[in-house]
């Protein structure tokens, strides 16, 4: 098992398939993009599946989520999903995407064994979308959402980040849109993971502010804490239920004490925390001929060293050198 010194067990593996993305969201990267990882540094499809199999078969991983960058840009993604779904014991297989390309890939991915999908959508306004993402692709995202539902990947989850003075007025419209279409909305506090290192706490819309915005239109009832488990989102029933909305207060309401996640980057580095400043290199060991036992030992040691929390509120906090697109959500 992947256990740390605080008794937490990592069972949720986030696997980045690429650092590339076809959007340029302001809270992630600059408009001109970033220097992408050279292809030889990326794990091959076979290497990804070998490490995922090791996590599932030997280390207690029960959920595998593929991320990026934008994972739909990975040419072999359907094959990777299929091989993951064929593992024993079978893990839950999910995907986090910006939705571009999902209109044509939702059905093949569902057929391959994908269980569910999370789609990032921060605005319903085309001009705001272009301002945030520096691309005019809102219609593509909406088509992708509809295709995910048609493919049976329900409930489709939507992740939204509110930014002060840009889209914070859309909290209620976003929730109404999701209620109308049967999507499950989760608001996420903006985190210090942008490549520009321009994040400031003052510009972040906090969980309390999000709840206040929604509370002006809806009656929100917190679900019981024991029902949350290790889930990052606090869930609130809307007007008595059964519909609900989630709020992930990563900064102001950290859930580090119950964290069950571990991350594998597109270039084969194990990160025991989204905000870790150290990584454990499995790629080079794998390519040098390391056995499964040797790789598993490296992986266990990496998780064992996990800190108690991300420390964003600590004066000594340092933002990770890698931005979100290079880590994988």
């Amino acid at each position: 098992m992947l256990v740390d010194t605080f008794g937490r067990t990592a069972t949720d593996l986030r696997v980045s398939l690429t650092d590339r993305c076809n959007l340029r969201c302001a809270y992630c990267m600059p408009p001109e993009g970033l220097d992408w990882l050279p292809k030889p540094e990326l794990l091959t499809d076979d290497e990804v599946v070998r490490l995922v199999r090791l996590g599932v078969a030997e280390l207690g991983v029960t959920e595998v989520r593929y991320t990026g960058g934008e994972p739909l840009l990975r040419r072999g993604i359907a094959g990777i999903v299929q091989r993951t779904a064929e593992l024993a014991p079978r893990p839950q297989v999910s995907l986090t995407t910006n939705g571009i390309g999902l209109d044509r890939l939702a059905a093949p991915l569902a057929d391959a064994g994908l269980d569910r999908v999370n789609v990032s959508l921060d605005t319903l306004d085309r001009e705001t979308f272009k301002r945030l993402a520096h691309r005019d692709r809102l219609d593509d995202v909406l088509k992708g959402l509809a295709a995910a539902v048609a493919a049976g990947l329900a409930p489709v989850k939507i992740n939204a980040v509110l930014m002060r003075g840009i889209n914070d007025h859309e909290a209620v419209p976003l929730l109404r849109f999701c209620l109308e279409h049967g999507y499950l909305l989760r608001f996420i506090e903006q985190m210090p993971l942008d490549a520009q290192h321009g994040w400031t706490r003052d510009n972040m819309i906090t969980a309390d502010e999000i709840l206040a915005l929604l509370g002006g239109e809806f009656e929100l009832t917190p679900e019981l804490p024991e029902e949350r488990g290790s889930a990052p989102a606090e869930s609130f029933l809307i007007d008595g239920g059964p519909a609900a909305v989630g709020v992930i207060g990563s900064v102001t309401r950290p859930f580090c004490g119950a964290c069950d996640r571990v991350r594998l980057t597109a270039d084969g580095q194990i990160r025991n925390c989204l905000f870790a400043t150290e990584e454990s290199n499995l790629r080079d060991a794998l390519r040098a001929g390391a056995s499964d036992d040797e790789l598993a030992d490296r992986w266990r040691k990496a998780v064992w060293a996990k800190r108690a929390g991300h420390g964003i509120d600590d004066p000594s906090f340092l933002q990770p050198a890698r931005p979100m697109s290079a880590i994988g959500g």
Side-chain angles (χ1 to χ4, degrees):
M1 305 291 283
L2 296 169
V3 182
D4 66 34
T5 56
F6 298 93
R8 297 167 297 193
T9 302
T11 58
D12 183 342
L13 173 61
R14 306 297 174 96
V15 182
S16 176
L17 295 179
T18 179
D19 60 328
R20 296 173 181 266
C21 190
N22 39 20
L23 296 181
R24 300 291 182 268
C25 297
Y27 50 77
C28 185
M29 66 177 74
E32 63 273 15
L34 299 168
D35 292 330
W36 310 125
L37 290 166
K39 188 172 181 179
E41 294 185 13
L42 300 178
L43 293 175
T44 66
D45 293 2
D46 287 343
E47 289 171 338
V48 169
V49 173
R50 179 182 174 187
L51 292 176
V52 170
R53 178 193 56 76
L54 179 61
V56 170
E58 304 294 337
L59 297 172
V61 168
T62 59
E63 178 177 355
V64 179
R65 179 181 296 189
Y66 288 109
T67 70
E70 174 44 54
L72 296 184
L73 294 177
R74 178 83 179 220
R75 186 168 297 176
I77 187 171
I80 291 173
V81 167
Q82 179 176 345
R83 294 166 71 184
T84 304
E86 291 171 347
L87 294 174
R90 188 196 189 283
Q92 184 183 68
V93 188
S94 58
L95 175 76
T96 295
T97 172
N98 62 29
I100 297 173
L102 192 58
D103 57 334
R104 59 182 175 80
L105 287 173
L109 287 170
D111 291 342
L114 188 68
D115 295 307
R116 64 179 185 84
V117 65
N118 286 36
V119 179
S120 299
L121 178 64
D122 304 318
T123 178
L124 298 170
D125 180 81
R126 175 169 281 100
E127 292 305 314
T128 303
F129 190 98
K130 288 193 291 185
R131 179 181 177 188
L132 275 173
H134 299 278
R135 299 290 188 274
D136 187 6
R137 306 298 297 271
L138 176 59
D139 288 345
D140 296 308
V141 178
L142 298 179
K143 290 176 185 176
L145 286 167
V149 172
L153 297 174
V156 173
K157 293 185 178 181
I158 289 183
N159 297 336
V161 176
L162 298 181
M163 302 182 69
R164 196 175 304 282
I166 298 177
N167 65 335
D168 49 330
H169 62 287
E170 291 194 68
V172 169
L174 279 167
L175 182 50
R176 291 197 187 282
F177 169 79
C178 290
L179 291 173
E180 178 184 347
H181 290 85
Y183 306 140
L184 179 57
L185 178 61
R186 304 190 311 171
F187 289 101
I188 305 175
E189 286 183 342
Q190 183 187 356
M191 294 178 283
L193 289 166
D194 58 308
Q196 309 93 302
H197 287 213
W199 178 90
T200 65
R201 195 183 183 101
D202 291 342
N203 288 335
M204 178 188 70
I205 303 297
T206 67
D208 285 345
E209 289 177 285
I210 294 167
L211 292 172
L213 289 167
L214 299 178
E217 297 288 334
F218 304 97
E219 179 184 346
L220 301 180
T221 306
E223 293 191 308
L224 297 175
E226 55 265 29
E227 295 178 359
R228 180 180 180 183
S230 60
E234 295 178 76
S235 186
F236 299 83
L237 295 176
I238 302 168
D239 295 336
V245 62
V247 177
I248 301 177
S250 305
V251 178
T252 65
R253 301 185 182 191
F255 44 90
C256 302
C259 181
D260 64 351
R261 300 178 182 181
V262 62
R263 288 173 166 79
L264 177 65
T265 65
D267 57 347
Q269 313 299 309
I270 288 292
R271 296 178 64 89
N272 59 28
C273 174
L274 188 59
F275 294 93
T277 54
E278 296 180 350
E279 301 175 335
S280 182
N281 189 336
L282 294 190
R283 180 200 62 202
D284 289 355
L286 184 156
R287 292 179 178 177
S291 67
D292 280 359
D293 286 345
E294 291 170 328
L295 293 171
D297 186 55
R298 283 175 175 256
W299 200 331
R300 290 191 189 97
K301 288 179 180 178
V303 172
W304 182 253
K306 186 173 183 175
R307 294 183 298 176
H310 54 49
I312 293 176
D313 282 333
D314 192 297
S316 64
F317 172 77
L318 293 175
Q319 183 173 333
R322 290 194 195 228
M324 176 67 91
S325 64
I327 296 172

